[in-house]
């Protein structure tokens, strides 16, 4: 069996710094017919479970801990028996959402997670949040960037625990160094490629956050 990428979009809200916004979130599921990992658990366990099907869930990976990416993570973990993995630098944000439930394990830069015959490599890409991570799947020619890199530029850095200079450095050194044909699967919105985004770095810096 060959690993593949499955996808769902769930709708809900994002809240931080006393403001709430309606959002649509991408959920990415990577694996084969037997097992998979889930990248982010935003709003709706049923929608995610539909993509999982009867597969064994190896892990629920949080690209970062904003509430619109982890709101149903503990519930999904209970339903599937899979551990929730989060970079420790985002624990402050996680605790705002789930003060009574800890993640099950930590993500670390360079860590590899094997599922369905393919490997995801963790890239710590802070800036949108302190513990934001991207997941590079070289065999599949893709990188899952959460809210670090979108079609059209960096993720937002105007809120607490974010920093524009840090996100630009993460994108420049950790993401734009990937092969240009690498498909970028984002936390919200449409796919892009590394090659499509790389020429615009100076524009983003000039634009600021």
């Amino acid at each position: 069996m060959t690993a593949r990428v499955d996808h769902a979009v769930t709708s809900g809200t994002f809240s931080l710094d006393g403001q709430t916004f309606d959002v649509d979130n991408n959920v990415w599921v990577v694996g084969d017919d037997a097992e998979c990992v889930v990248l982010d658990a935003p709003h709706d366990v049923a929608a995610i479970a539909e993509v999982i099907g009867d597969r064994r869930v190896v892990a629920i990976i949080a690209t970062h801990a904003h509430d619109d990416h982890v709101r149903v993570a503990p519930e999904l973990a209970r339903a599937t028996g899979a551990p929730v993995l989060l970079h420790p630098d985002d624990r402050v944000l996680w605790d705002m959402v789930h003060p009574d439930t800890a993640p099950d394990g930590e993500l670390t830069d360079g860590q590899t997670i094997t599922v369905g015959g393919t490997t995801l490599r963790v890239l710590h890409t802070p800036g949108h949040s302190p513990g934001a991570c991207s997941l590079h799947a070289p065999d599949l020619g893709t990188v899952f960037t959460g809210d670090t890199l979108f079609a059209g530029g960096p993720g937002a850095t105007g809120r607490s625990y974010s920093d524009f200079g840090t996100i630009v450095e993460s994108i420049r050194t950790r993401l734009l160094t990937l092969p240009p044909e690498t498909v970028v699967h984002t936390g919200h919105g449409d796919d892009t490629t590394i090659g499509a985004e790389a020429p615009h770095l100076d524009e983003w810096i000039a634009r600021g956050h």
Side-chain angles (χ1 to χ4, degrees):
M1 290 182 286
T2 304
R4 66 182 187 274
V5 178
D6 296 310
H7 176 226
V9 177
T10 68
S11 299
T13 60
F14 162 63
S15 298
L16 189 65
D17 295 338
Q19 293 182 293
T20 297
F21 305 89
D22 292 329
V23 288
D24 294 329
N25 284 64
N26 293 321
V27 180
W28 302 101
V29 179
V30 183
D32 59 13
D33 289 342
E35 61 181 17
C36 63
V37 296
V38 176
L39 277 70
D40 290 335
H43 315 290
D44 186 343
V45 167
I48 301 169
E50 189 172 334
V51 179
I52 294 168
D54 60 1
R55 292 182 282 180
R56 181 176 74 90
V57 181
V58 173
I60 300 159
I61 300 171
T63 61
H64 62 294
H66 285 151
D67 64 349
D68 63 320
H69 290 257
V70 300
R71 183 173 286 114
V72 300
E75 183 183 350
L76 186 64
R78 290 191 295 269
T80 61
V84 177
L85 307 181
L86 175 74
H87 193 284
D89 288 357
D90 255 23
R91 184 62 189 271
V92 62
L93 289 164
W94 172 278
D95 288 346
M96 293 178 185
V97 188
H98 301 296
D100 301 319
T101 305
D104 301 295
E106 295 184 350
L107 296 173
T108 58
D109 187 58
Q111 175 184 354
T112 57
I113 298 164
T114 300
V115 60
T118 198
T119 298
L120 300 173
R121 183 166 62 94
V122 177
L123 306 176
H124 183 209
T125 50
H128 181 68
S129 68
C133 288
S134 301
L135 286 300
H136 181 215
D139 294 347
L140 302 178
T142 190
V143 62
F144 302 89
T145 56
D147 288 4
T148 296
L149 177 63
F150 292 107
T157 54
R159 300 191 177 279
S160 297
Y161 306 103
S162 64
D163 182 80
F164 181 71
T166 302
I167 201 171
V168 165
E169 186 68 4
S170 292
I171 292 169
R172 186 179 68 81
T173 63
R174 308 308 306 277
L175 297 177
L176 299 187
T177 53
L178 299 175
E181 66 274 13
T182 303
V183 174
V184 178
H185 291 313
T186 63
H188 307 269
D190 296 333
D191 293 346
T192 182
T193 65
I194 293 297
E197 300 306 320
H200 302 290
L201 180 64
D202 288 342
E203 298 170 28
W204 303 336
I205 293 170
R207 185 176 73 198
H209 68 80

